[in-house]
Each structure stands twice: as structure tokens, then as C-alpha cells.
Amino acid sequence: MEQRILDSYRLWRENAVEDPDLQQELGRIEGREEEIADRFYRELEFGTGGLRGVIGAGENRMNIYTVRRATQGLANYLREKYSQASAAVSYDSRIKSALFAREAARVLAGNGITVYLFPELMPTPVLSYAVRSCRCQAGIMVTASHNPSKYNGYKCYGADGCQMTDHDAGEVTDHIRRIDLFSGVKTADFDAAKAEGRIRFIDDSLTEDFLRQVEAQQVTPGICRETPLNVIYTPLNGTGNKPVREILRRIGVQTLEVVPEQEKPDGSFPTCPYPNPEIRQVFECALKMAESSHPDLLLATDPDCDRMGIAVPCDGEYRLMTGNEVGCLLLNYLLSRRKAAGTLPDHPVVVKTIVTSDLSARIAEKYGCEVREVLTGFKYIGEQIGLLEKEGRPERYVFGFEESYGYLAGSYVRDKDGVVASMLVCEMAAYYKSQGKTLPAVLEELYREHGVFRHSLINKAFEGAQGMAAMQRLMSSLRDNPPKEIAGLRVVRFADYLNSRETDLASGATTDIDLPPSNVLSFGLEGGAGFIIRPSGTEPKIKTYLTAAGQDAAAAQELTARLTEAGNALLNG
């Protein structure tokens, strides 16, 4: 084992004494080189998504010391940039989330930065709203989103309510690197800082303002009162329980059952080890309830309530709908209803990420919408809202979504919002129910009009130091020697978003990509199919996004199977 790693381990044994859980863990791994190395071979990276990692002892773990150090770096950045600064802080139901939020508040207050802290767990979109409502210069949301329970982290926000840009996150990282983990952090006594007004609890009125903004995004008000809708909802032991239930009550959802095993906050997620609404397993408890109540909709939000997923009746069972399917349905619903009501703005704008379904672009085109395509990450969608606001035309923004179950209608926040998504999907389901239609039936109508699209995602994990190195080698190999065909289809277009270049392989012509550099490779295949690969920004894995386009469902499904096989072969070398 490297001497540097052993020295770090010994330093933590001597100094990490404030959290007894850490001392127990450090004692338990004594003499176990692989365990020690995994905790100390690198520092937990502060990226554009902030921090995220396994909870535990060491520099490569989430704990009070890595949280304090990162927050000290943020504080130094804010003090350098602003003469006076404030920050909003929130947290979800994860293990140690409340503790980490409190420690972050202590560090900010210890550096003369006013802290607006939620007194109870609150969804990510409410934190985004609070940053702008309280006129803060930054925000911290303690969460690991939909990761397994062993993870925690925090998302860092700028004054615009968006997650930090690459540039600002880089500046914070530079500050963090200059801070000694144990001796370089300033903290305030929490109770004293609260008494002095340096830490202020956010009043319930802010949450009420947020809910009013969400409610204002309805496009068919009253439809849920007119058309009975039976919904089973699960907050997956997270933050959505109160706000989602309240917004559905306000719009008139007549029958709402909540999954009891997943109702209360619980960071161990006992019934769903992967609390991700993309995964069918999280609906198992709801599906058992559905056997007797036969609801129109199963609805789930992830622990920090920025993602939303649904399952709907289809051919005698409940079908889990993908993020692309729900996003395209919501987009079509919003545009068609707003056009009918005369509330669609002039020159409307729809924003999608580069890995999100091209069906959305065809729907938007039908209604005369400008489509703006951005990198993966909802902050880039939020950034487009900010640009429209600077032009004095924020109302042009109609909808933005990403395939990973993130949606936003309205410009009141700058992040995906599971609360407004839950409201709109119930409103949409009620509207189509009033017409005698199901959501799968409406989706088939869209396919008949615009063509059939099938999308799938392959995840490959790369754990530990060796895994990170293997992931980097794979991306370098594909970048330097891109395949000429995938699944028997010619690659007709190759885009390297890190080098900001796109090449037409038929003509050899290259064009610049006008987006921030990002470690993403895109392969456009003949016939409209697509293959995009990128390392996750929050987890040690590579994500591969597959798109199959066909004249009918059978052709698209057959091509999806071929692309999946080819994708697995590429990822496994």
C-alpha cells in the first residue's frame, strides 16, 4: 500500500473523533489494505453536481469532514466574489442528511455567510426556488438523489437557482484543494449562530409560495374534479410526501392512496434498495395495492422529489412508462391544450438534452416551437430559462425535460421538479380519461403521426480505482478509434463533445459543437438510429443511450435488441 494512503488513514484515526461512527469504521478496517485504499486512494471529487459518494470514513467518502471542507471551499468562493453573501440549505431523508445540512450551515455561518435553512426535509426544487426567493448567492441540497442508501452527497447551486456551471464548480474546487481537511475549516456554534441571525430557519410561507407557483402551471384547471381519478402514490421514503399530496389535493384528485411502507422518511429505503422511479422494483408495493383498488395511475417520486415516474394500466397489467414516453406525452399535452386555450406564447421554446428522444422535436415542430438542445444535466435547461429571462421573455419557455425522468413546466425554478410533474401527469391522465383514452393509446397516436421511437439505456459499473482507470481507457479508445458500424448499421455521424467537433463520415466535413466541452461521444447511425455514450457525472459507471427508429413497433423493437447487444459488446471490450 502506498505510504501516502497509510499516512492519511493514520491521520484520520487521530483526528476524526467528532463522529463515533467514523472511529468505529476506521478501527474495523485496520490492517485491511484494500478497504483502507478504497477510502483514501483519492479525494471525493467536487464536480458540477457537487459532491456524491458512499457514506463513511475517509477522503473518498461522504462524512462531516468532507462536507465541511467542501463547504469551506464554497464559502471562500462566495467571499471572494461577493462583499456580502447568503446561501439556502436543504436536505432529504437520506442517512446523515440532516447532520450534513447542519454542518454545512455551521461552516457558512462561521465564514460570515447568512444561512437560510429549512427546518425539515424538503425537495430539491423547493431549494432551487428558495435560492432565488431569498435572493441568495448559493444553495446546497444535501441528497444523493436516486442512488442506493449507502450514498449521500450535496448539489451546489448558484444565484440563478441552477446547479453550478462547470466554470463556477471549477473555481470552488480550486478553493477546496487549498484547504486542510481538519485544521482549515471555520465553524460556528449552531445555536449561537441561530440566536444571532446568521442561521435563519425558512418560514412555511416560502413553501406555500412554491406550491402556488406549481398550481399556476395547470393547463386544464378543474379537470381532476370533473373526472374522477384514482391514484396510488409513493414518495419512496423521501421528501415528496407532503408537497405532492398537497398539490394533488388542491387540483382535486379524488382518490389518492399512499403506499404505507414507503410513506415516512427513511434513508435505508427498506422496500426499494434503488429508490429510482425508472426501476419497476420501486412500484412493487404499489402494484400489490393496485390488485384491489385498480387505480388509473401509479405515481412515484425519488427521495429528493426532482424525478417522477408512472405506471399505467395496459393490456391487463401495469406498464412502467419511460422518461422519454412521459416527457413526450406531457409535451404534446401542454402544447395542444395551450394552443387550444390561446395561451401558447409567441415563439415558444422547448428544451431537451442531447440524449432525449427526437420524438419531442417532431412534436414541438408541429406547434411551431423552437427546440433548444443542451448537454445532459438539468442545469443546462435551467440556463436556457435564465437566458430567456435576460431577454425579457421568460414566458417563451414552455417545457423542458430529460430522459432520466426530469421535467419542468414554468420558469419559477431552475431545476427539474417532481411536484409539478406529478400534478401535470395527473391532470393529463384525467383529461384523456374524460375523452375515453389511456396514456398508452395517446402515445400510439403520436407514433402513428411522427414515427415509432424506442429508447433504452445500458449502465456498466466501474467500481474503485481500477474501475475508474478502465472507464477512462474505454472512453479514450472509442474517441481515438470510433467504430465504423454498430449493430450492422453504418456510423454516418460522429460527435465528440469533449473536443467540440462533429464529423459527417460520408463527406468528411466537420462542424463545431456550440456547447460546453463534455466527455460524451455520439454515433449517428443510418436510418435515424443513435448511440450515445458518456461516464455518469454522479456515479462510477458509464451510461449508453440507444435510440431505434422504425416505421412500426416491431421494427423498432428488433433494432433495439440489436443495438443493446452491440452496446454490451462495446462496453465489455
Side-chain angles (χ1 to χ4, degrees):
M1 183 166 29
E2 291 181 41
Q3 187 62 42
R4 172 189 62 83
I5 292 175
L6 191 58
D7 288 344
S8 293
Y9 168 73
R10 289 170 177 162
L11 184 68
W12 277 68
R13 288 298 304 268
E14 294 170 6
N15 292 279
V17 295
E18 294 179 66
D19 186 340
D21 291 344
L22 301 184
Q23 276 299 308
Q24 290 176 17
E25 181 180 342
L26 291 167
R28 189 172 64 250
I29 65 172
E30 185 171 8
R32 297 161 65 178
E33 293 190 358
E34 189 173 335
E35 294 271 11
I36 293 171
D38 188 48
R39 289 161 173 78
F40 292 96
Y41 82 92
R42 67 166 189 163
E43 294 178 350
L44 196 63
E45 183 178 350
F46 186 94
T48 55
L51 287 178
R52 191 171 300 188
V54 174
I55 302 164
E59 296 158 3
N60 189 34
R61 293 288 188 269
M62 281 294 298
N63 51 67
I64 59 173
Y65 301 102
T66 52
V67 166
R68 287 176 184 172
R69 186 188 186 210
T71 310
Q72 182 66 53
L74 174 64
N76 291 350
Y77 160 84
L78 292 172
R79 292 175 63 192
E80 182 177 87
K81 196 168 182 179
Y82 303 99
S83 57
Q84 286 187 315
S86 61
V89 179
S90 185
Y91 60 96
D92 69 2
S93 60
R94 286 183 174 271
I95 296 167
K96 294 188 183 289
S97 277
L99 173 63
F100 293 162
R102 185 184 178 94
E103 292 303 303
R106 289 181 61 214
V107 173
L108 292 168
N111 284 271
I113 295 166
T114 302
V115 181
Y116 294 92
L117 176 66
F118 282 96
E120 64 176 345
L121 73 172
M122 197 63 64
T124 286
V126 184
L127 183 277
S128 174
Y129 184 78
V131 169
R132 298 174 68 235
S133 179
C134 298
R135 299 183 180 180
C136 296
Q137 286 67 51
I140 294 172
M141 176 68 197
V142 180
T143 179
S145 190
H146 56 290
N147 286 66
S149 61
K150 68 179 181 178
Y151 285 87
N152 211 329
Y154 74 46
K155 302 174 183 177
C156 219
Y157 289 75
D160 58 358
C162 292
Q163 287 191 52
M164 273 196 171
T165 63
D166 301 353
H167 177 267
D168 289 337
E171 289 192 7
V172 173
T173 298
D174 289 342
H175 282 290
I176 293 171
R177 287 173 178 158
R178 296 195 290 267
I179 296 166
D180 183 273
L181 193 74
F182 293 113
S183 64
V185 178
K186 300 175 185 175
T187 58
D189 177 82
F190 185 90
D191 292 332
K194 183 174 177 295
E196 295 164 6
R198 289 181 288 158
I199 296 176
R200 306 173 185 178
F201 282 141
I202 293 175
D203 190 83
D204 289 344
S205 62
L206 185 141
T207 309
E208 175 58 30
D209 289 343
F210 168 83
L211 289 171
R212 279 199 293 264
Q213 292 285 348
V214 171
E215 196 173 358
Q217 306 311 314
Q218 295 177 88
V219 292
T220 314
I223 189 65
C224 290
R225 292 187 179 88
E226 298 164 9
T227 305
L229 198 68
N230 184 348
V231 179
I232 291 178
Y233 169 59
T234 170
L236 299 181
N237 303 113
T239 60
N241 189 35
K242 289 184 178 181
V244 171
R245 292 171 75 169
E246 175 60 18
I247 201 67
L248 297 188
R249 183 194 67 78
R250 292 186 185 192
I251 67 168
V253 172
Q254 296 188 20
T255 304
L256 178 65
E257 295 181 273
V258 179
V259 177
E261 302 96 324
Q262 299 170 337
E263 178 181 4
K264 301 300 183 184
D266 187 343
S268 64
F269 309 119
T271 61
C272 50
Y274 295 88
N276 184 346
E278 298 179 45
I279 300 172
R280 189 172 182 84
Q281 181 193 29
V282 306
F283 288 95
E284 286 182 355
C285 294
L287 286 166
K288 289 178 183 176
M289 294 174 63
E291 292 174 1
S292 58
S293 59
H294 309 293
D296 300 294
L297 190 69
L298 306 183
L299 174 69
T301 52
D302 70 341
D304 67 323
C305 197
D306 61 352
R307 299 170 192 252
M308 182 276 303
I310 62 171
V312 295
C314 183
D315 298 329
E317 60 181 12
Y318 281 86
R319 169 182 165 184
L320 179 61
M321 303 198 78
T322 70
N324 276 314
E325 290 171 340
V326 173
C328 289
L329 282 167
L330 283 171
L331 175 62
N332 180 71
Y333 171 70
L334 290 167
L335 293 178
S336 62
R337 295 300 299 146
R338 290 191 65 178
K339 183 175 182 180
T343 61
L344 198 61
D346 293 333
H347 312 294
V349 172
V350 170
V351 190
K352 66 181 283 290
T353 66
I354 60 174
V355 299
T356 298
S357 177
D358 288 334
L359 174 59
S360 61
R362 297 188 184 184
I363 294 168
E365 183 181 4
K366 174 183 176 179
Y367 292 96
C369 290
E370 175 189 348
V371 178
R372 298 187 180 183
E373 197 166 69
V374 296
L375 292 175
T376 305
F378 218 90
K379 65 174 174 284
Y380 298 113
I381 296 176
E383 186 176 50
Q384 292 299 318
I385 301 173
L387 292 173
L388 290 169
E389 189 174 67
K390 287 179 182 177
E391 296 171 7
R393 295 292 308 278
E395 76 283 355
R396 287 184 62 198
Y397 173 81
V398 176
F399 190 60
F401 81 102
E402 55 188 4
E403 51 73 41
S404 55
Y405 293 60
Y407 318 97
L408 177 64
S411 59
Y412 59 100
V413 294
R414 301 299 158 83
D415 209 340
K416 51 187 174 284
D417 181 6
V419 183
V420 78
S422 297
M423 180 191 77
L424 288 174
V425 84
C426 288
E427 180 188 316
M428 176 175 67
Y431 173 76
Y432 288 124
K433 183 180 180 181
S434 73
Q435 296 188 329
K437 296 179 180 179
T438 66
L439 295 184
V442 177
L443 186 63
E444 289 303 317
E445 290 178 0
L446 292 176
Y447 287 151
R448 284 195 293 272
E449 182 177 1
H450 301 290
V452 178
F453 287 78
R454 290 288 185 268
H455 306 276
S456 55
L457 175 66
I458 303 173
N459 288 309
K460 180 173 174 59
F462 291 82
E463 299 285 354
Q466 292 182 340
M468 292 293 288
M471 188 162 61
Q472 292 168 4
R473 286 195 301 271
L474 176 59
M475 290 300 293
S476 295
S477 174
L478 290 172
R479 176 170 283 111
D480 297 338
N481 300 288
K484 292 184 171 54
E485 70 170 37
I486 297 173
L489 299 176
R490 285 184 299 110
V491 178
V492 296
R493 177 185 53 80
F494 172 60
D496 181 349
Y497 287 83
L498 189 61
N499 294 317
S500 302
R501 301 288 284 178
E502 181 175 323
T503 304
D504 183 321
L505 298 183
S507 66
T510 61
T511 55
D512 292 335
I513 297 173
D514 187 22
L515 292 172
S518 182
N519 191 13
V520 179
L521 300 174
S522 175
F523 303 90
L525 310 179
E526 59 182 324
F531 189 97
I532 298 176
I533 183 168
R534 72 175 183 93
S536 169
T538 57
E539 301 168 80
K541 65 183 180 183
I542 280 183
K543 294 186 172 186
T544 305
Y545 304 83
L546 311 178
T547 297
Q551 292 299 313
D552 55 48
Q557 198 61 41
E558 187 273 335
L559 180 53
T560 298
R562 285 163 49 199
L563 287 170
T564 301
E565 183 179 356
N568 282 320
L570 274 179
L571 291 174
N572 293 322

